[in-house]
Amino acid sequence: EKAVNLKKDLAEMQEWMTQAEEEYLEKDFEYKSPEELENAVEEMKRAKEDVLQKEVRVKILKDNIKMLATKIPSSGQDLATELNVVLENYQLLCNRIRGKCHTLEEVWSCWIELLQYLDLETAWLNNLEERVQMTENLPDKLDAVNDALESLESVLRHPADNRTQIRELGQTLIDGGILDDIISEKLEAFNARYEELSHLAVSRQIALEQQLQTMRETDHMLQVLQENLVELDRQLTSYLTDRVDAFQMPQEAQ
């Protein structure tokens, strides 16, 4: 009777493992929304806990069969063979569920990381857009144009590392068929805005550089002219003070 009960327990354990394999490992999952992905992660965590909890039952079965084998070698030997199969299948099931759980957790982490990088770069784009707008309707003063140019250039020096991460994380998830529609839409919107603002910012940078160069050249010309006028005024004052006749002056002084 002991052997019959143990044999029944082994059969039930094998049946449970078959059901667990069908439910957690053989179903085709499609992760088209973050909610579906998050639910799948939580389900696999519960599955891992459920499978690992069976370890106690497996150990009890193993101990009982060993004990039976010492009392009834013939019955124990047959059960030991079945036990080995169950133990092998159980270990395989544990490994596969652990593996799938780890994979889904990594995928979820990848999605969260992608969102974080997108948030960072979106904040940078907002800052860039604000700096570009600040370059409009500037007062016609050299200092104002120079400050606006330096402010814009400081934002444009933003490193490209985050965008590289966004591209790689997004492509990894899309290649796996995970949240591909949502990610493609997010990346398309982000890239379009990035290209538009970057192009506009660089155009404004070039325009400000040219404006600044023109203002500096004009400022230099005015300075030279002012210096020449001062010198001419000094000469004319000298001539007048000395009561020099105009016809005795050089042609330019006349």
Side-chain angles (χ1 to χ4, degrees), residues 134-146 148 211 215:
M134 289 171 61
T135 64
E136 300 173 358
N137 304 318
L138 289 172
D140 193 21
K141 295 181 179 179
L142 192 146
D143 288 345
V145 175
N146 186 59
Q211 182 181 1
M215 293 179 74

Side-chain angles (χ1 to χ4, degrees), residues 78-94:
D78 293 338
L79 289 173
T81 302
E82 293 184 33
L83 174 65
N84 288 335
V85 174
V86 169
L87 290 176
E88 184 178 343
N89 291 341
Y90 175 73
Q91 191 59 51
L92 180 61
L93 179 65
C94 287

Side-chain angles (χ1 to χ4, degrees), residues 42-57:
E42 294 303 318
E43 182 179 2
M44 285 309 301
K45 286 181 179 178
R46 289 192 296 270
K48 184 173 73 171
E49 292 175 1
D50 190 20
V51 170
L52 293 178
Q53 285 176 357
K54 297 293 182 182
E55 187 174 5
V56 175
R57 183 180 177 186

